[in-house]
Each structure stands twice: as structure tokens, then as C-alpha cells.
Amino acid sequence: MKTISQAKAFGGIQGVYSHESEACHCTMTFAVYLPPKAATEKCPILWYLSGLTCTHANVMDKGEYRRLAAELGIIIVCPDTSPRGDGIADEPDNWQMGKGAGFYLDATQAPWSKHYQMYSYITEELPALIADNFPVDMNRQGIFGHSMGGHGAITIALKNPQKFKSCSAFAPIVAPSSADWSAPAFEKYLGADKTSWRQYDTCDLIADGAQFREILVDQGAADGFLDNGLRPWLLQEAVKDKPEIALTLRMQEGYDHSYFFISTFMGDHLRWHAERLYK
């Protein structure tokens, strides 16, 4: 692991690091915020997954999480959204495919399958690296994210309920298999057989029996992607007859899809996770 930068913030350390990924076969970069409490003891870990076109830097620069994470004693880890580098498959003119658009799945179709193994990277390789290098309590993990990252956070929690104590999302893509801005990417990554897509689709996972105790979702009512990409009402419908999944969906009037929206409700989400991580 290589240290790219470190800076003191609210008594803790905001760092950026890189390593050679075996899952993605390239150099991957990620950010970690260590609260002051981490200097003397292991702390809970909260994973933040970013959205389309983003890197680790978007939430690090604009998410406004450090002050409260320092107070709550939570480590924040912000991975990248896809493999990066020369020779990695990409569609430079398509922001919904390739670099910046890994969708937190393991691609099975060439040429994407060589590098785009983001599900394995987020659930296996990066956690092992974090556990070896930072003072984290891996028995107290939460996960959240925005848009494509909200999709990733909820699907990963549904598939790994024993690993995570908490899950939330900002404006998640809840049914990517049928959304205009994600279905084409799913076909390229996973092939034409849509049965293989279900394992990475929140609504399909729930229909197939996946469970998670509680999910918090904030959605901007003025989000321009609401109708053709996000469609939170489909998640409401999916859990309607599932009392084992407690969904809190909050439609926030006047808010869009930007980090102005995310930073406004970041504190609510951090407190939501802290209550469950420290329970």
C-alpha cells in the first residue's frame, strides 16, 4: 500500500492511498478518514460508495463528513468507482459505462471481465487490505453511497447481511436492470441473459428473498434523474410485503442529485449508522 497524501482534519487524519489490486488487475486508489479515537483504539468502519463519473475524491472534497465522523468515532472509507489506467476497457464518450461506471458488479463479458471486478474488490480485497493497515473493528461495519453507489451499498448489504450492521443511501438506483441509464451497462458487463443481472439489482434481490434489517434512503424530489433512473417507489413496492425489511424513505423537497443534497443530509446518515454500529 502506498500513501499518496495525509492531512490532519478535526483532530483525525484524512488520507489517500493506492495499491495494486489483484481483483481489478490495476492500481486502485481509495481514501480513509481516521477519527481522533482511532489513535488509541479500533473504531467502526463506514464504507461510502460514490456514483457515476466519480472517484474517491468527490465525497472526500464535497461530502462534509469529517467533523461529525470525528465526533462519532467512525472510520470512513471511500473507494474508487471503477478500475483506472491505460489499457483498461472504456467508452470515453459514454459516462454510464467503463471508467467511473463500474456499478459494483463482477463483469463476465469481454473485454470488461478482465478488470471490472468491483463487487469482489469492495467485498473481499479492499476490506482485507483495510483490516491489515488501519485500526478498524471489522465486526462493526456499515455501508452507504450515492446514486450508482447507493445501488452498490444496498445490493452489497442485501447479499452480505452478516457483515454489515447498517445500510443507507442517497438517491440510489433501485432497479438498474430496467432503468434507462443502467440497463445498457448491465448487458455489456453481464451479457444478454437478464437472470444473471438479478444478483446486482436491489428490487430483484428482495423479490428473490434477500433481507436486510433496516435501510434509510434520502431522495431529492427535484432530482432530474428521478423518473428514468432512480425510481424509489419501486423499492417501496418491493418491501411492501416484507416486514423483515424496515425501509425509511424520505423525499426531500427542492433537493437535486448533487453534493449540495448529499452534504445536507450527510449528518443524518452518519448518526443513523453510529446508532447501529455502537449498539
Side-chain angles (χ1 to χ4, degrees), residues 149-180:
H151 137 77
I154 299 175
T155 56
I156 288 171
L158 286 168
K159 289 159 69 79
N160 300 275
Q162 74 286 354
K163 285 187 178 182
F164 299 99
K165 291 184 174 295
S166 57
C167 175
S168 72
F170 304 99
I173 308 171
V174 303
S177 296
S178 58
D180 292 346

mmCIF file of all heavy atoms in Angstrom, residues 149-180:
data_model
loop_
_atom_site.group_PDB
_atom_site.id
_atom_site.type_symbol
_atom_site.label_atom_id
_atom_site.label_comp_id
_atom_site.label_asym_id
_atom_site.label_seq_id
_atom_site.Cartn_x
_atom_site.Cartn_y
_atom_site.Cartn_z
ATOM 1 N N GLY A 149 -23.603 4.409 -6.380
ATOM 2 C CA GLY A 149 -23.060 3.926 -5.119
ATOM 3 C C GLY A 149 -24.131 3.548 -4.121
ATOM 4 O O GLY A 149 -23.911 2.667 -3.279
ATOM 5 N N GLY A 150 -25.291 4.196 -4.185
ATOM 6 C CA GLY A 150 -26.422 3.774 -3.371
ATOM 7 C C GLY A 150 -26.907 2.402 -3.789
ATOM 8 O O GLY A 150 -27.230 1.549 -2.947
ATOM 9 N N HIS A 151 -26.966 2.193 -5.107
ATOM 10 C CA HIS A 151 -27.262 0.852 -5.642
ATOM 11 C C HIS A 151 -26.258 -0.160 -5.103
ATOM 12 O O HIS A 151 -26.630 -1.234 -4.609
ATOM 13 C CB HIS A 151 -27.229 0.896 -7.178
ATOM 14 C CG HIS A 151 -26.533 -0.264 -7.826
ATOM 15 N ND1 HIS A 151 -27.114 -1.508 -7.948
ATOM 16 C CD2 HIS A 151 -25.287 -0.367 -8.377
ATOM 17 C CE1 HIS A 151 -26.265 -2.338 -8.555
ATOM 18 N NE2 HIS A 151 -25.153 -1.662 -8.821
ATOM 19 N N GLY A 152 -24.967 0.186 -5.175
ATOM 20 C CA GLY A 152 -23.944 -0.727 -4.691
ATOM 21 C C GLY A 152 -24.078 -1.012 -3.215
ATOM 22 O O GLY A 152 -23.980 -2.170 -2.783
ATOM 23 N N ALA A 153 -24.316 0.014 -2.427
ATOM 24 C CA ALA A 153 -24.412 -0.160 -0.978
ATOM 25 C C ALA A 153 -25.564 -1.088 -0.593
ATOM 26 O O ALA A 153 -25.392 -2.004 0.219
ATOM 27 C CB ALA A 153 -24.577 1.199 -0.309
ATOM 28 N N ILE A 154 -26.739 -0.855 -1.180
ATOM 29 C CA ILE A 154 -27.900 -1.665 -0.797
ATOM 30 C C ILE A 154 -27.752 -3.102 -1.285
ATOM 31 O O ILE A 154 -28.036 -4.057 -0.548
ATOM 32 C CB ILE A 154 -29.209 -1.039 -1.309
ATOM 33 C CG1 ILE A 154 -29.411 0.358 -0.711
ATOM 34 C CG2 ILE A 154 -30.400 -1.924 -0.924
ATOM 35 C CD1 ILE A 154 -30.620 1.098 -1.261
ATOM 36 N N THR A 155 -27.291 -3.288 -2.525
ATOM 37 C CA THR A 155 -27.146 -4.664 -3.027
ATOM 38 C C THR A 155 -26.092 -5.421 -2.242
ATOM 39 O O THR A 155 -26.274 -6.608 -1.917
ATOM 40 C CB THR A 155 -26.801 -4.679 -4.523
ATOM 41 O OG1 THR A 155 -25.619 -3.909 -4.774
ATOM 42 C CG2 THR A 155 -27.944 -4.135 -5.355
ATOM 43 N N ILE A 156 -24.990 -4.770 -1.906
ATOM 44 C CA ILE A 156 -23.945 -5.437 -1.133
ATOM 45 C C ILE A 156 -24.448 -5.792 0.264
ATOM 46 O O ILE A 156 -24.175 -6.880 0.785
ATOM 47 C CB ILE A 156 -22.683 -4.558 -1.080
ATOM 48 C CG1 ILE A 156 -21.998 -4.562 -2.453
ATOM 49 C CG2 ILE A 156 -21.708 -5.046 -0.008
ATOM 50 C CD1 ILE A 156 -20.865 -3.574 -2.595
ATOM 51 N N ALA A 157 -25.211 -4.889 0.886
ATOM 52 C CA ALA A 157 -25.776 -5.193 2.207
ATOM 53 C C ALA A 157 -26.763 -6.355 2.129
ATOM 54 O O ALA A 157 -26.758 -7.246 2.988
ATOM 55 C CB ALA A 157 -26.456 -3.953 2.781
ATOM 56 N N LEU A 158 -27.608 -6.356 1.114
ATOM 57 C CA LEU A 158 -28.582 -7.438 0.956
ATOM 58 C C LEU A 158 -27.897 -8.791 0.750
ATOM 59 O O LEU A 158 -28.395 -9.828 1.209
ATOM 60 C CB LEU A 158 -29.507 -7.144 -0.227
ATOM 61 C CG LEU A 158 -30.574 -6.067 -0.019
ATOM 62 C CD1 LEU A 158 -31.211 -5.692 -1.355
ATOM 63 C CD2 LEU A 158 -31.645 -6.525 0.967
ATOM 64 N N LYS A 159 -26.772 -8.781 0.055
ATOM 65 C CA LYS A 159 -26.056 -10.027 -0.223
ATOM 66 C C LYS A 159 -25.136 -10.443 0.920
ATOM 67 O O LYS A 159 -24.683 -11.596 0.958
ATOM 68 C CB LYS A 159 -25.241 -9.861 -1.514
ATOM 69 C CG LYS A 159 -26.101 -9.813 -2.781
ATOM 70 C CD LYS A 159 -25.360 -9.147 -3.929
ATOM 71 C CE LYS A 159 -24.203 -9.945 -4.464
ATOM 72 N NZ LYS A 159 -24.658 -11.045 -5.365
ATOM 73 N N ASN A 160 -24.860 -9.501 1.847
ATOM 74 C CA ASN A 160 -23.936 -9.798 2.943
ATOM 75 C C ASN A 160 -24.484 -9.262 4.273
ATOM 76 O O ASN A 160 -23.813 -8.485 4.963
ATOM 77 C CB ASN A 160 -22.573 -9.157 2.656
ATOM 78 C CG ASN A 160 -21.931 -9.664 1.382
ATOM 79 O OD1 ASN A 160 -21.259 -10.691 1.376
ATOM 80 N ND2 ASN A 160 -22.138 -8.944 0.295
ATOM 81 N N PRO A 161 -25.686 -9.664 4.656
ATOM 82 C CA PRO A 161 -26.297 -9.087 5.866
ATOM 83 C C PRO A 161 -25.533 -9.415 7.144
ATOM 84 O O PRO A 161 -25.659 -8.703 8.135
ATOM 85 C CB PRO A 161 -27.698 -9.703 5.875
ATOM 86 C CG PRO A 161 -27.550 -10.982 5.113
ATOM 87 C CD PRO A 161 -26.551 -10.684 4.037
ATOM 88 N N GLN A 162 -24.733 -10.472 7.115
ATOM 89 C CA GLN A 162 -23.960 -10.830 8.297
ATOM 90 C C GLN A 162 -22.745 -9.932 8.480
ATOM 91 O O GLN A 162 -22.197 -9.831 9.588
ATOM 92 C CB GLN A 162 -23.517 -12.299 8.199
ATOM 93 C CG GLN A 162 -22.388 -12.583 7.218
ATOM 94 C CD GLN A 162 -22.803 -12.531 5.751
ATOM 95 O OE1 GLN A 162 -23.981 -12.385 5.411
ATOM 96 N NE2 GLN A 162 -21.828 -12.670 4.854
ATOM 97 N N LYS A 163 -22.318 -9.241 7.431
ATOM 98 C CA LYS A 163 -21.122 -8.391 7.510
ATOM 99 C C LYS A 163 -21.441 -6.979 7.981
ATOM 100 O O LYS A 163 -20.576 -6.310 8.558
ATOM 101 C CB LYS A 163 -20.439 -8.301 6.139
ATOM 102 C CG LYS A 163 -19.660 -9.531 5.730
ATOM 103 C CD LYS A 163 -18.892 -9.252 4.434
ATOM 104 C CE LYS A 163 -18.071 -10.456 4.022
ATOM 105 N NZ LYS A 163 -17.290 -10.174 2.782
ATOM 106 N N PHE A 164 -22.646 -6.506 7.699
ATOM 107 C CA PHE A 164 -22.957 -5.093 7.914
ATOM 108 C C PHE A 164 -24.056 -4.922 8.963
ATOM 109 O O PHE A 164 -25.059 -5.632 8.956
ATOM 110 C CB PHE A 164 -23.385 -4.438 6.598
ATOM 111 C CG PHE A 164 -22.307 -4.475 5.545
ATOM 112 C CD1 PHE A 164 -22.317 -5.434 4.553
ATOM 113 C CD2 PHE A 164 -21.267 -3.554 5.565
ATOM 114 C CE1 PHE A 164 -21.321 -5.485 3.596
ATOM 115 C CE2 PHE A 164 -20.262 -3.592 4.618
ATOM 116 C CZ PHE A 164 -20.285 -4.561 3.630
ATOM 117 N N LYS A 165 -23.841 -3.936 9.822
ATOM 118 C CA LYS A 165 -24.828 -3.612 10.844
ATOM 119 C C LYS A 165 -25.755 -2.486 10.418
ATOM 120 O O LYS A 165 -26.775 -2.239 11.068
ATOM 121 C CB LYS A 165 -24.118 -3.237 12.148
ATOM 122 C CG LYS A 165 -23.416 -4.398 12.836
ATOM 123 C CD LYS A 165 -22.836 -3.966 14.160
ATOM 124 C CE LYS A 165 -22.251 -5.156 14.916
ATOM 125 N NZ LYS A 165 -23.290 -6.144 15.302
ATOM 126 N N SER A 166 -25.415 -1.785 9.334
ATOM 127 C CA SER A 166 -26.228 -0.634 8.914
ATOM 128 C C SER A 166 -26.052 -0.393 7.428
ATOM 129 O O SER A 166 -25.011 -0.698 6.846
ATOM 130 C CB SER A 166 -25.832 0.619 9.703
ATOM 131 O OG SER A 166 -24.445 0.901 9.545
ATOM 132 N N CYS A 167 -27.103 0.199 6.813
ATOM 133 C CA CYS A 167 -27.086 0.488 5.382
ATOM 134 C C CYS A 167 -27.975 1.688 5.106
ATOM 135 O O CYS A 167 -29.091 1.780 5.622
ATOM 136 C CB CYS A 167 -27.577 -0.723 4.585
ATOM 137 S SG CYS A 167 -27.741 -0.429 2.804
ATOM 138 N N SER A 168 -27.474 2.610 4.282
ATOM 139 C CA SER A 168 -28.298 3.740 3.851
ATOM 140 C C SER A 168 -27.849 4.174 2.464
ATOM 141 O O SER A 168 -26.831 3.702 1.948
ATOM 142 C CB SER A 168 -28.194 4.913 4.837
ATOM 143 O OG SER A 168 -26.933 5.557 4.749
ATOM 144 N N ALA A 169 -28.617 5.093 1.864
ATOM 145 C CA ALA A 169 -28.288 5.538 0.515
ATOM 146 C C ALA A 169 -28.878 6.905 0.233
ATOM 147 O O ALA A 169 -29.939 7.263 0.754
ATOM 148 C CB ALA A 169 -28.800 4.536 -0.523
ATOM 149 N N PHE A 170 -28.168 7.651 -0.590
ATOM 150 C CA PHE A 170 -28.671 8.891 -1.165
ATOM 151 C C PHE A 170 -29.044 8.605 -2.622
ATOM 152 O O PHE A 170 -28.199 8.190 -3.416
ATOM 153 C CB PHE A 170 -27.599 9.988 -1.147
ATOM 154 C CG PHE A 170 -27.022 10.302 0.199
ATOM 155 C CD1 PHE A 170 -25.806 9.768 0.592
ATOM 156 C CD2 PHE A 170 -27.684 11.155 1.077
ATOM 157 C CE1 PHE A 170 -25.248 10.070 1.821
ATOM 158 C CE2 PHE A 170 -27.145 11.457 2.319
ATOM 159 C CZ PHE A 170 -25.920 10.915 2.691
ATOM 160 N N ALA A 171 -30.299 8.803 -2.977
ATOM 161 C CA ALA A 171 -30.764 8.692 -4.370
ATOM 162 C C ALA A 171 -30.241 7.449 -5.076
ATOM 163 O O ALA A 171 -29.601 7.540 -6.129
ATOM 164 C CB ALA A 171 -30.348 9.955 -5.139
ATOM 165 N N PRO A 172 -30.494 6.253 -4.545
ATOM 166 C CA PRO A 172 -29.954 5.045 -5.164
ATOM 167 C C PRO A 172 -30.702 4.642 -6.437
ATOM 168 O O PRO A 172 -31.887 4.929 -6.595
ATOM 169 C CB PRO A 172 -30.163 3.993 -4.073
ATOM 170 C CG PRO A 172 -31.394 4.461 -3.352
ATOM 171 C CD PRO A 172 -31.281 5.969 -3.329
ATOM 172 N N ILE A 173 -30.001 3.976 -7.330
ATOM 173 C CA ILE A 173 -30.636 3.318 -8.483
ATOM 174 C C ILE A 173 -31.177 1.992 -7.954
ATOM 175 O O ILE A 173 -30.417 1.048 -7.740
ATOM 176 C CB ILE A 173 -29.635 3.068 -9.614
ATOM 177 C CG1 ILE A 173 -28.892 4.344 -9.986
ATOM 178 C CG2 ILE A 173 -30.341 2.493 -10.841
ATOM 179 C CD1 ILE A 173 -27.719 4.121 -10.949
ATOM 180 N N VAL A 174 -32.472 1.888 -7.722
ATOM 181 C CA VAL A 174 -33.011 0.730 -7.006
ATOM 182 C C VAL A 174 -33.363 -0.442 -7.915
ATOM 183 O O VAL A 174 -33.497 -1.568 -7.443
ATOM 184 C CB VAL A 174 -34.245 1.119 -6.164
ATOM 185 C CG1 VAL A 174 -33.900 2.233 -5.189
ATOM 186 C CG2 VAL A 174 -35.423 1.521 -7.043
ATOM 187 N N ALA A 175 -33.510 -0.187 -9.210
ATOM 188 C CA ALA A 175 -33.840 -1.259 -10.155
ATOM 189 C C ALA A 175 -33.035 -1.059 -11.430
ATOM 190 O O ALA A 175 -33.580 -0.759 -12.489
ATOM 191 C CB ALA A 175 -35.336 -1.273 -10.449
ATOM 192 N N PRO A 176 -31.708 -1.233 -11.368
ATOM 193 C CA PRO A 176 -30.849 -0.936 -12.521
ATOM 194 C C PRO A 176 -31.112 -1.813 -13.731
ATOM 195 O O PRO A 176 -30.803 -1.411 -14.856
ATOM 196 C CB PRO A 176 -29.438 -1.160 -11.975
ATOM 197 C CG PRO A 176 -29.611 -2.053 -10.781
ATOM 198 C CD PRO A 176 -30.931 -1.672 -10.197
ATOM 199 N N SER A 177 -31.698 -2.980 -13.530
ATOM 200 C CA SER A 177 -31.970 -3.872 -14.659
ATOM 201 C C SER A 177 -32.944 -3.281 -15.666
ATOM 202 O O SER A 177 -32.926 -3.632 -16.844
ATOM 203 C CB SER A 177 -32.527 -5.209 -14.158
ATOM 204 O OG SER A 177 -31.571 -5.886 -13.374
ATOM 205 N N SER A 178 -33.805 -2.364 -15.194
ATOM 206 C CA SER A 178 -34.815 -1.790 -16.078
ATOM 207 C C SER A 178 -34.701 -0.274 -16.217
ATOM 208 O O SER A 178 -35.538 0.338 -16.879
ATOM 209 C CB SER A 178 -36.221 -2.141 -15.564
ATOM 210 O OG SER A 178 -36.410 -1.661 -14.239
ATOM 211 N N ALA A 179 -33.678 0.329 -15.613
ATOM 212 C CA ALA A 179 -33.507 1.773 -15.705
ATOM 213 C C ALA A 179 -32.781 2.156 -16.982
ATOM 214 O O ALA A 179 -31.845 1.472 -17.414
ATOM 215 C CB ALA A 179 -32.736 2.292 -14.498
ATOM 216 N N ASP A 180 -33.194 3.265 -17.581
ATOM 217 C CA ASP A 180 -32.634 3.689 -18.862
ATOM 218 C C ASP A 180 -31.125 3.873 -18.808
ATOM 219 O O ASP A 180 -30.426 3.603 -19.783
ATOM 220 C CB ASP A 180 -33.275 5.017 -19.302
ATOM 221 C CG ASP A 180 -34.743 4.870 -19.654
ATOM 222 O OD1 ASP A 180 -35.196 3.716 -19.811
ATOM 223 O OD2 ASP A 180 -35.438 5.898 -19.759
#
